[in-house]
Amino acid sequence: MTMLKDPSVKYRPFPQVPLTNRQWPSRTITKAPRWLSTDMRDGNQSLIDPMDAEKKSRFFDLLLKVGVKEIEVGFPSAGATEYDFIRGLVDTGRIPDDVLVQVLTQSREDLIRTSFEALAGAKQAIVHVYNAVSPLWREVVFGMTQSQIKDIARAGATFLRDQAARFPQTDWHFEYSPETFSTAEIDFSIECCEAVMEILQPTVEKPIILNLPATVEAATPNVYADQIEYFCNNLPGRDRAVISLHTHNDRGTGVAAAELGLMAGADRVEGCLFGNGERTGNCCLVTVALNMYTQGIDPELDFSDIDEVIQTVEYCNQLPVHPRHPYGGELVFTAFSGSHQDAIKKGFAAQEKRNDQIWSVPYLPIDPADLGRSYEAVIRVNSQSGKGGFAWVLEQDQGLKLPKKMQAHFSRHVQALADELGRELQAGDIWQVFRRVYRLDAPQHLQLIDYEEAKSADGTRVFAGKISVDGNVQSVSGRGNGLISSVVATLKEGFGIDIDVRDYSEHALTGGSDARAAAYVECVTPDGRAVWGVGIDEDVATASVRAILSAANATRI
């Protein structure tokens, strides 16, 4: 079987929401929502090997460290592992006073009873009950009418109320989900929620949480936003309800749907770190939170050490975070392309000169340093990289700031190595090529042993030094307008090497008493050939002499 030429014979477009005068497109997100992590429940049930108690404990601690204040810790009626872990949290006092733990249960009396018993003794907790309401589930899965489905919701609310009365020492909060909300009739979802509210009697001071899940994402995110706005506009007692979003990623727009849902009036977002979850996953809390951060909004979640978060998530889930995952992936702040590298390099240079702290660097919507990432990995080199990439790596790794023309000269050598090896080049690879090309390693034809500089009576400079020629030390001298010209004169008079200096630059490599300097010189031979030399020394003048000798040695290549 292959894809259909006319898919309309098999699939129908999702119907639009009868929403007039929609307001959400003109709104912006201005504050953080309430966050609920479902990693330990929805995320856990989607794993090939669900987390054991040790992994769940480690994940719980991570969520506390990140700053998540509402955590769905499990499905206690699912089995002993879930129940015992939740009871352990309560009995050992591991739940901070400002954190609400939550458990999930179907709308069945025995399961709800077990859920309350798992949390008995907690200072405060949320019990989340759900039942599916959409036509497909009603008719195909359950074979029930709307009236029967609403009766299940009412029964669940009644069980919640009665069980909460058994444990008055706990401050109970309630959450209800009309599961499959995104594919159900909105008015029927409102009826079910209204029926639950009539029984539980929430107040403005203590509202009910109404979770509106895109259990299966079946439409574009604007349709979900329309559904949320319609629901908020038509729910009786809206001020007594917290509207919560639980988006899935079947169409790849779980994050977008959550963001538009917040614009449409929701108050709370449920999801998992890095989007784990059934099928294609849940909404990624990291992405939504950091999207807000890049808009100048405090998300009230802390991802200052995102690599530690990833390490823990990968360990507990036994699933990798994709290298291209927004914000957290290994490669999201990395540029291999030459044009990207050039833009980023210029952006960092401009950023250093700014008079304010506003972040504005091409291709980097967020400062990697805010997430604990270093700049060294921003630009990486392979066969697609340009001269700016090689230069950036050298500057970050060795402190060398190559002149632009020298970058072009050096890039040919690095490119050749990248093509030869067929892999990404590390900083050590590039440094090794640099030392070879500019003769910083092996003994050369001409090597400086010692020198002195003096000023003659006529104002010219005199270079007097000792230079090793293939291991034989010779005393030489030359005269010029400055140190560099006097060295050039010495090479011509003493060794017959005729070069003219076309370009020269220098800079300090490090600060403090142990500062070193680098000097770069471009010279041209009588036949017009350009040669480059590099000198590095604790003394800037000596670095410039070494650079001239390096260029002279290049004439023999």
Side-chain angles (χ1 to χ4, degrees):
M1 186 173 181
T2 60
M3 290 181 65
L4 302 173
K5 294 297 184 183
D6 180 13
S8 67
V9 302
K10 188 173 184 178
Y11 301 100
R12 293 288 182 266
F14 198 87
Q16 297 298 301
V17 177
L19 180 66
T20 58
N21 193 30
R22 58 179 53 82
Q23 298 298 307
W24 67 261
S26 62
R27 295 174 184 158
T28 57
I29 298 172
T30 59
K31 64 178 182 178
R34 288 171 57 172
W35 303 104
L36 173 87
S37 162
T38 63
D39 289 276
M40 300 172 68
R41 198 276 308 169
D42 203 347
N44 187 48
Q45 74 178 21
S46 69
L47 299 178
I48 298 171
D49 296 309
M51 288 182 268
D52 57 19
E54 186 272 332
K55 287 187 172 68
K56 294 198 79 169
S57 179
R58 186 165 170 176
F59 213 124
F60 183 76
D61 289 339
L62 171 68
L63 293 170
L64 296 181
K65 186 174 182 179
V66 167
V68 180
K69 298 301 183 183
E70 298 179 39
I71 303 171
E72 196 163 71
V73 289
F75 202 131
S77 58
T81 300
E82 294 279 284
Y83 184 93
D84 292 344
F85 172 76
I86 295 165
R87 275 257 41 102
L89 292 178
V90 176
D91 293 339
T92 58
R94 289 186 58 197
I95 305 169
D97 289 346
D98 63 343
V99 170
L100 271 167
V101 292
Q102 175 173 306
V103 296
L104 181 71
T105 176
Q106 294 167 317
S107 184
R108 284 174 41 189
E109 183 173 7
D110 57 330
L111 305 184
I112 292 173
R113 182 183 300 108
T114 300
S115 299
F116 275 91
E117 291 170 352
L119 286 170
K123 180 179 179 180
Q124 57 181 351
I126 304 171
V127 180
H128 177 191
V129 67
Y130 70 94
N131 67 299
V133 300
S134 70
L136 187 62
W137 266 256
R138 290 196 313 259
E139 298 163 8
V140 176
V141 180
F142 303 125
M144 291 184 174
T145 64
Q146 284 190 352
S147 178
Q148 289 172 313
I149 292 295
K150 195 188 300 186
D151 285 344
I152 293 175
R154 288 196 187 96
T158 302
F159 298 153
L160 288 180
R161 182 195 62 195
D162 294 347
Q163 288 300 310
R166 293 178 56 209
F167 306 99
Q169 71 273 30
T170 298
D171 180 15
W172 296 106
H173 300 255
F174 303 126
E175 176 171 347
Y176 171 68
S177 287
E179 191 193 9
T180 65
F181 164 84
S182 59
T183 53
E185 308 93 336
I186 309 176
D187 289 325
F188 180 59
S189 293
I190 291 173
E191 288 181 30
C192 291
C193 290
E194 187 179 7
V196 169
M197 292 174 70
E198 287 175 357
I199 294 169
L200 295 177
Q201 292 295 302
T203 63
V204 173
E205 294 75 24
K206 193 170 184 180
I208 188 174
I209 301 168
L210 296 178
N211 183 49
L212 307 179
T215 305
V216 178
E217 187 177 44
T220 51
N222 62 294
V223 172
Y224 184 66
D226 281 353
Q227 292 173 326
I228 299 303
E229 184 169 325
Y230 184 99
F231 184 96
C232 291
N233 290 346
N234 292 279
L235 175 73
R238 167 67 180 92
D239 59 344
R240 294 181 287 119
V242 171
I243 304 303
S244 186
L245 308 174
H246 184 113
T247 60
H248 280 254
N249 204 41
D250 298 274
R251 292 171 54 92
T253 56
V255 165
E259 290 180 326
L260 298 190
L262 288 174
M263 292 162 58
D267 312 293
R268 185 175 184 254
V269 173
E270 300 189 0
C272 295
L273 300 185
F274 302 109
N276 182 41
E278 293 171 297
R279 302 181 307 282
T280 55
N282 289 12
C283 173
C284 174
L285 297 187
V286 177
T287 302
V288 178
L290 293 179
N291 282 353
M292 292 181 187
Y293 183 81
T294 65
Q295 303 302 301
I297 301 167
D298 178 8
E300 300 176 11
L301 297 178
D302 186 0
F303 296 109
S304 297
D305 190 350
I306 202 163
D307 288 332
E308 180 188 9
V309 176
I310 291 171
Q311 183 181 27
T312 301
V313 170
E314 290 184 331
Y315 168 75
C316 293
N317 289 341
Q318 294 296 292
L319 290 173
V321 171
H322 194 282
R324 298 291 183 189
H325 192 98
Y327 301 109
E330 179 186 357
L331 298 177
V332 296
F333 300 126
T334 296
F336 291 103
S337 161
S339 60
H340 289 208
Q341 292 173 344
D342 180 65
I344 291 171
K345 186 171 181 288
K346 290 175 180 175
F348 272 114
Q351 189 73 24
E352 292 178 359
K353 298 176 182 178
R354 294 180 66 92
N355 295 322
D356 56 44
Q357 297 182 12
I358 300 300
W359 179 255
S360 184
V361 175
Y363 296 111
L364 296 178
I366 192 172
D367 185 350
D370 288 357
L371 305 181
R373 294 273 176 88
S374 68
Y375 294 143
E376 283 75 6
V378 170
I379 290 178
R380 289 162 61 175
V381 173
N382 63 15
S383 61
Q384 301 298 308
S385 303
K387 60 183 181 295
F390 311 144
W392 167 270
V393 173
L394 269 181
E395 181 175 343
Q396 297 298 306
D397 188 55
Q398 299 294 332
L400 297 174
K401 300 178 182 179
L402 274 57
K404 192 164 186 177
K405 289 177 67 177
M406 188 178 185
Q407 292 178 23
H409 178 265
F410 179 53
S411 70
R412 296 195 299 270
H413 299 277
V414 181
Q415 190 73 50
L417 180 63
D419 289 336
E420 176 188 344
L421 297 179
R423 62 166 173 82
E424 177 189 355
L425 299 185
Q426 304 300 319
D429 297 322
I430 298 171
W431 178 229
Q432 185 176 17
V433 175
F434 186 85
R435 294 182 66 87
R436 172 177 57 79
V437 171
Y438 299 109
R439 300 157 296 282
L440 300 181
D441 281 328
Q444 297 297 312
H445 174 61
L446 302 175
Q447 284 190 274
L448 180 66
I449 303 301
D450 194 11
Y451 80 97
E452 290 181 355
E453 181 190 10
K455 187 175 183 180
S456 63
D458 61 1
T460 59
R461 298 279 180 166
V462 176
F463 171 85
K466 293 181 179 180
I467 293 178
S468 171
V469 183
D470 293 331
N472 298 314
V473 178
Q474 297 183 22
S475 295
V476 292
S477 65
R479 186 185 300 268
N481 294 327
L483 176 61
I484 291 177
S485 61
S486 65
V487 175
V488 169
T490 299
L491 291 172
K492 185 174 183 179
E493 296 168 10
F495 306 105
I497 299 175
D498 189 4
I499 55 175
D500 287 328
V501 176
R502 178 185 289 173
D503 189 31
Y504 172 82
S505 63
E506 64 186 38
H507 65 83
L509 285 175
T510 56
S513 60
D514 60 344
R516 295 190 305 154
Y520 315 96
V521 61
E522 181 189 16
C523 298
V524 61
T525 63
D527 60 359
R529 183 163 66 100
V531 292
W532 281 91
V534 177
I536 299 175
D537 198 90
E538 286 77 11
D539 174 66
V540 67
T542 303
S544 65
V545 175
R546 295 189 186 280
I548 296 294
L549 291 180
S550 173
N553 285 320
T555 63
R556 294 170 54 86
I557 299 174

